[in-house]
Amino acid sequence: MHIVVCIKQVPDSAQIRVHPVTNTIMRQGVPTIINPYDLFALEEALRLRDTYGGEVTVLTMGPPMAEDALRKALGYGADRAVLMTDRYFAGSDTLATSYALSQAIAKVGETFGTPDIVFTGKQTIDGDTAQVGPGIAKRLDLMQLTYVAKIPSVDLAAREIKVERRCEGGTQMLKSRLPCLITILEGTNEIRRGSLEDALYAARSQVLKWSAADAGIDDLTRCGLRGSPTVVKRVFAPTARAQKAALIDTAEMTLRDLADELIAAILTRRPALEQELAFNGGE
């Protein structure tokens, strides 16, 4: 079984700052990490490989420094890593990114064998769009299984996979054909610690570096800024709320008195709610 995992190197959101004057994100000096959701996708891919055999290829698109993220993925146990890096990719939005990655996945399939499963995290912590995974599936005509929480089984002979998918109000049990694309939720599994052997393998392994041409991309107008219709007008920090919290002294109150006090405070702040409740009660 051949599995491809798409990962992304992102700024550590815990250390991102917003410029006080321009209200833009200050990336200088902010350390980068593998997108946390992608780590769960990588672990699930490695788990399936360990169970059913095969290989795991890790793929990312980014600047040369993104090689660090790929070597970390190799250190977890991935078999090979491919870095798509080219000036034509700069400024890509989700539409251009999904196009470039889908072309590269097709090239990976031609070079190392057709993928049975493509994994992504459910979203990235910098963009939070959750659009790239489904975009790849659409371009490659793959069955897409989003927000997957568990993979109970894979039947390679029947070319089928069973997954548990989180949805509003519960969990869906789905069976799909292979190949497919899966976006993995956080907390799906426990991310392993790479072994010493994996660390040595990551240190001596060659990370394949593909330009746009190497990745089989022949239409450069669909990459980077030229292929990105999304325009970010500005980035800003939310305005702090000026309203202060009200404190209620509950020392001498019974539960009924406390409930009455809370309801009165809510209705004082939201008089329209009192009228709405009165209207509904009249019916």
Side-chain angles (χ1 to χ4, degrees):
M1 181 167 57
H2 185 199
I3 303 174
V4 173
V5 184
C6 297
I7 69 171
K8 184 180 182 183
Q9 187 180 59
V10 297
D12 188 347
S13 60
Q15 301 190 46
I16 286 181
R17 297 168 296 160
V18 176
H19 195 283
V21 177
T22 63
N23 286 328
T24 57
I25 293 177
M26 300 170 61
R27 296 178 181 266
Q28 293 80 6
V30 179
T32 56
I33 58 174
I34 298 177
N35 179 51
Y37 298 114
D38 297 344
L39 287 176
F40 291 106
L42 175 60
E43 174 58 35
E44 194 65 19
L46 295 173
R47 187 187 70 82
L48 291 180
R49 181 204 60 188
D50 294 344
T51 303
Y52 301 100
E55 295 181 329
V56 173
T57 299
V58 183
L59 173 68
T60 193
M61 185 179 79
M65 63 181 291
E67 181 179 342
D68 295 340
L70 291 173
R71 291 205 176 275
K72 289 178 182 178
L74 291 171
Y76 282 112
D79 296 286
R80 71 176 60 87
V82 179
L83 170 60
M84 299 168 59
T85 183
D86 198 308
R87 61 186 179 88
Y88 292 109
F89 300 144
S92 294
D93 67 358
T94 56
L95 188 69
T97 298
S98 63
Y99 168 73
L101 287 174
S102 64
Q103 295 294 103
I105 291 171
K107 189 67 175 181
V108 167
E110 294 175 6
T111 308
F112 305 109
T114 303
D116 298 285
I117 304 174
V118 177
F119 276 107
T120 71
K122 72 166 186 176
Q123 63 195 69
T124 58
I125 61 173
D126 57 350
D128 276 334
T129 63
Q131 294 174 351
V132 171
I136 293 172
K138 175 64 176 178
R139 295 180 187 278
L140 294 178
D141 194 26
L142 297 175
M143 295 294 294
Q144 58 174 296
L145 304 169
T146 56
Y147 300 101
V148 170
K150 186 178 180 182
I151 302 178
S153 66
V154 178
D155 189 336
L156 293 176
R159 304 292 293 165
E160 291 180 345
I161 185 171
K162 294 181 181 179
V163 303
E164 293 183 12
R165 178 183 183 273
R166 190 182 304 168
C167 62
E168 186 175 354
T171 301
Q172 294 177 333
M173 296 291 296
L174 302 176
K175 181 168 70 174
S176 173
R177 69 175 186 269
L178 297 176
C180 67
L181 181 140
I182 297 174
T183 69
I184 288 288
L185 289 173
E186 71 281 6
T188 302
N189 45 49
E190 184 176 348
I191 299 171
R192 68 187 63 190
R193 299 186 63 176
S195 65
L196 176 59
E197 182 179 354
D198 290 329
L200 294 174
Y201 177 76
R204 66 173 182 265
S205 292
Q206 178 185 6
V207 173
L208 299 176
K209 297 181 177 64
W210 285 359
S211 64
D214 296 330
I217 299 173
D218 51 8
D219 188 357
L220 296 177
T221 63
R222 301 173 70 180
C223 299
L225 286 174
R226 288 188 293 176
S228 302
T230 305
V231 177
V232 179
K233 185 176 180 180
R234 68 189 179 106
V235 178
F236 60 94
T239 303
R241 295 180 60 180
Q243 191 175 24
K244 295 183 178 180
L247 297 179
I248 299 176
D249 186 2
T250 62
E252 304 296 330
M253 284 188 177
T254 65
L255 290 177
R256 180 178 293 276
D257 291 339
L258 177 58
D260 291 340
E261 186 74 16
L262 288 173
I263 292 173
I266 292 172
L267 296 181
T268 300
R269 292 194 177 189
R270 300 183 59 186
L273 179 60
E274 183 175 12
Q275 296 176 5
E276 181 180 347
L277 293 173
F279 176 77
N280 292 334
E283 292 183 336

